[in-house]
Amino acid sequence: PVAMPELPEVETVCRGLHSRMAGRVLRLVEVRRRDLRQAMPADFAQRVQGRTILRIDRRAKYMQWHLDDQTVVLGHLGMSGSMCIQSEPLPTPKTHDHVRFQLSDGGAVVYNDPRRFGLLLLTTQAQLGKHPLLKKLGPEPLEPSFTAERLRDQLQSRRVPIKAALLDQAVVAGLGNIYVCEALYRAHISPLRVAASLTLAEAKRLQPAIVAILEAAIAAGGSTLRDYVKADGELGYFQHAFAVYDQEDRSCPTPGCKGHIHRLTQTGRSTYYCPRCQK
């Protein structure tokens, strides 16, 4: 399967970049190709070159590089993008190296994206929450404000299958296909259920399941399903812990359940679940 990086993958990349780039100056910024999913600003290099990176964090599946002049680089890895950390100065560019950052300590970071579905845009600290890509996002699932009550409230008006509702970034920010499948399985909730039918008791199973799955995936460095690699070039390995995702026809791992994992298509995406123990 080919998967877009989801919250754990982006969180892992942001942590890796932050540890390597925070406090460093962007000495040289080389834009080799601007025509990504959205065209990069024509003055991207001149606006960020010479600036110090204060911190790098994440909102949903977006990277946020906070610079010392209140500029924010807003990035997305798309389907195949990667941010690769180099300990040496910039090497000879590879075919799909679209943006290259030389750091003040001699290292470098290279944005490589064969399919060019990613993006690198500029905004400001003051405008960040109002940015068109961010302003409609729902709660962050790893923040304390994401409670079972809030999850149920977010779903109460949704007359679509709960799997589709959870993929809606306005409901919960950052969730993607893999982790929604895994969380619904862990909470024993069918992906076919109408979202609005979720009870508070069920939300109290689902909300901690979402958090636990995301935290476990971050600890494992994310899931590698072909293109995704961490910022240090290592592959994540949470895919070895999948209970249902990509496990079609295998026995359900729930103790005592004699069901098998089924696959169906919902809103164009593969859904994996156990129809016997997910109700």
Side-chain angles (χ1 to χ4, degrees), residues 263-277:
R263 184 185 77 83
L264 57 85
T265 302
Q266 291 179 294
T267 57
R269 310 293 297 277
S270 289
T271 294
Y272 297 91
Y273 75 114
C274 173
R276 190 177 181 115
C277 69

Side-chain angles (χ1 to χ4, degrees), residues 3-4 17 37 49 55 71 74 79 92 117 133 164 175 203 259 267 273 277:
M4 183 178 290
L17 291 174
R37 185 188 350 156
Q49 194 163 283
R55 71 182 190 281
T71 297
L74 189 61
M79 293 289 284
T92 302
F117 288 165
L133 294 173
L175 289 186
T267 57
Y273 75 114
C277 69

Side-chain angles (χ1 to χ4, degrees), residues 107-277:
V109 171
V110 177
Y111 173 60
N112 181 286
D113 189 354
R115 301 190 198 179
R116 304 200 316 281
F117 288 165
L119 52 80
L120 285 172
L121 303 174
L122 293 175
T123 185
T124 64
Q125 206 67 52
Q127 293 296 314
L128 189 58
K130 306 170 193 170
H131 193 280
L133 294 173
L134 304 184
K135 66 181 180 181
K136 294 181 180 177
L137 291 173
E140 284 286 332
L142 296 181
E143 291 186 355
S145 59
F146 180 65
T147 61
E149 289 79 7
R150 187 167 185 189
L151 175 60
R152 185 200 55 178
D153 290 347
Q154 293 284 94
L155 296 172
Q156 271 190 326
S157 64
R158 306 278 172 158
R159 305 299 307 176
V160 297
I162 192 167
K163 164 82 183 302
L166 291 172
L167 289 175
D168 183 342
Q169 298 299 291
V171 173
V172 186
L175 289 186
N177 198 44
I178 295 171
Y179 300 108
V180 169
C181 287
E182 292 291 316
L184 286 171
Y185 167 76
R186 186 175 288 210
H188 296 297
I189 294 167
S190 170
L192 300 170
R193 282 272 302 279
V194 172
S197 72
L198 193 76
T199 65
L200 181 57
E202 290 169 328
K204 287 181 176 178
R205 297 204 310 264
L206 181 56
Q207 180 267 340
I210 290 171
V211 174
I213 287 289
L214 293 175
E215 288 180 340
I218 290 168
S223 303
T224 302
L225 291 179
R226 191 165 116 178
D227 292 321
Y228 164 71
V229 291
K230 295 189 287 180
D232 60 4
E234 293 292 314
L235 301 176
Y237 53 90
F238 187 71
Q239 70 275 15
H240 302 304
F242 289 163
V244 290
Y245 189 83
D246 204 27
Q247 306 296 308
E248 186 178 9
D249 295 332
R250 295 193 182 179
S251 297
C252 174
T254 297
C257 177
K258 295 186 167 52
H260 289 79
I261 305 306
H262 287 217
R263 184 185 77 83
L264 57 85
T265 302
Q266 291 179 294
T267 57
R269 310 293 297 277
S270 289
T271 294
Y272 297 91
Y273 75 114
C274 173
R276 190 177 181 115
C277 69

Side-chain angles (χ1 to χ4, degrees), residues 14 17-19 21-24 52-58 64-68 70-73 125 128:
C14 286
L17 291 174
H18 177 83
S19 67
M21 300 179 79
R24 274 74 167 191
T52 299
I53 293 182
L54 301 181
R55 71 182 190 281
I56 295 176
D57 56 25
R58 173 195 60 74
Q64 301 176 142
W65 298 13
H66 303 268
L67 309 185
D68 62 349
Q70 301 294 303
T71 297
V72 180
V73 178
Q125 206 67 52
L128 189 58

